[in-house]
């Protein structure tokens, strides 16, 4: 392929959204990864112009829409896997570093809750950002914030049983 994969996550129809970089060019690709092929089969690839994207952004995708979410500094953007459109989703306080993001894919709020681990020095916080029906920020549900963590490098969740 000749590109660097910056992030990938499962999206609609058992496909994957992949955030790719080639020099200064960025693309969002929707592809089906296959265990019988080392390259998989590409479905769609569209260029987009990132805004302040980090060298190693964190990335998550919706399984309802071909929309990916990635970090750029202290901001979370969405990128549409069909047309490459970017949307600023949320801005964290200045100096914040985003450690990880995950899309809620089980339980309540499936594809409606973006879980974000944010670091401020050695202090970590977890934000629940609620999304609307089109993958945008739901302004009627304010973010929930959980404080008191150390540095967050990875998030993992499980639904209650």
């Amino acid at each position: 392929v000749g590109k660097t994969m910056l992030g990938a996550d499962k999206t609609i129809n058992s496909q994957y959204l992949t955030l790719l970089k080639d020099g200064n060019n960025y693309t969002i690709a929707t592809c089906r990864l296959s265990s019988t092929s080392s390259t998989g089969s590409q479905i769609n690839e569209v260029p987009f112009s990132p805004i302040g994207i980090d060298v190693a952004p964190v990335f998550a995708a919706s399984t309802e829409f071909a929309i990916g979410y990635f970090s750029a500094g202290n901001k979370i953007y969405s990128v549409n896997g069909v047309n490459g459109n970017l949307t600023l989703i949320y801005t964290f306080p200045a100096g914040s570093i985003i450690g990880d993001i995950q899309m809620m894919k089980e339980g309540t709020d499936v594809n409606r809750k973006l879980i974000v681990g944010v670091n401020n020095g050695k202090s970590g916080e977890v934000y629940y950002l609620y999304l609307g029906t089109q993958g945008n920020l739901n302004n009627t549900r304010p973010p929930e914030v959980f404080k008191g963590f150390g540095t967050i490098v990875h998030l993992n969740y499980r639904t209650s049983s």
Side-chain angles (χ1 to χ4, degrees), residues 15 24 41 67 86 101 104 152:
Q15 299 171 2
N24 291 325
S41 60
I67 297 175
L86 281 181
I101 58 176
M104 182 65 77
I152 297 172

Side-chain angles (χ1 to χ4, degrees), residues 81-137:
V82 175
N83 59 26
N85 287 344
L86 281 181
T87 303
L88 175 63
I89 295 294
Y90 196 81
T91 302
F92 296 96
S96 298
I97 298 172
I98 299 167
D100 197 13
I101 58 176
Q102 296 288 323
M103 176 63 73
M104 182 65 77
K105 294 187 178 182
E106 295 179 21
T108 57
D109 293 317
V110 171
N111 293 308
R112 298 289 185 267
K113 185 187 293 182
L114 194 62
I115 306 162
V116 185
V118 178
N119 297 308
N120 296 296
K122 294 183 179 183
S123 175
E125 300 173 345
V126 174
Y127 285 72
Y128 289 173
L129 302 179
Y130 293 96
L131 304 172
T133 57
Q134 298 300 312
N136 54 321
L137 189 65

Side-chain angles (χ1 to χ4, degrees), residues 31 64 77 85 93 143:
C31 60
E64 184 174 8
Y77 288 90
N85 287 344

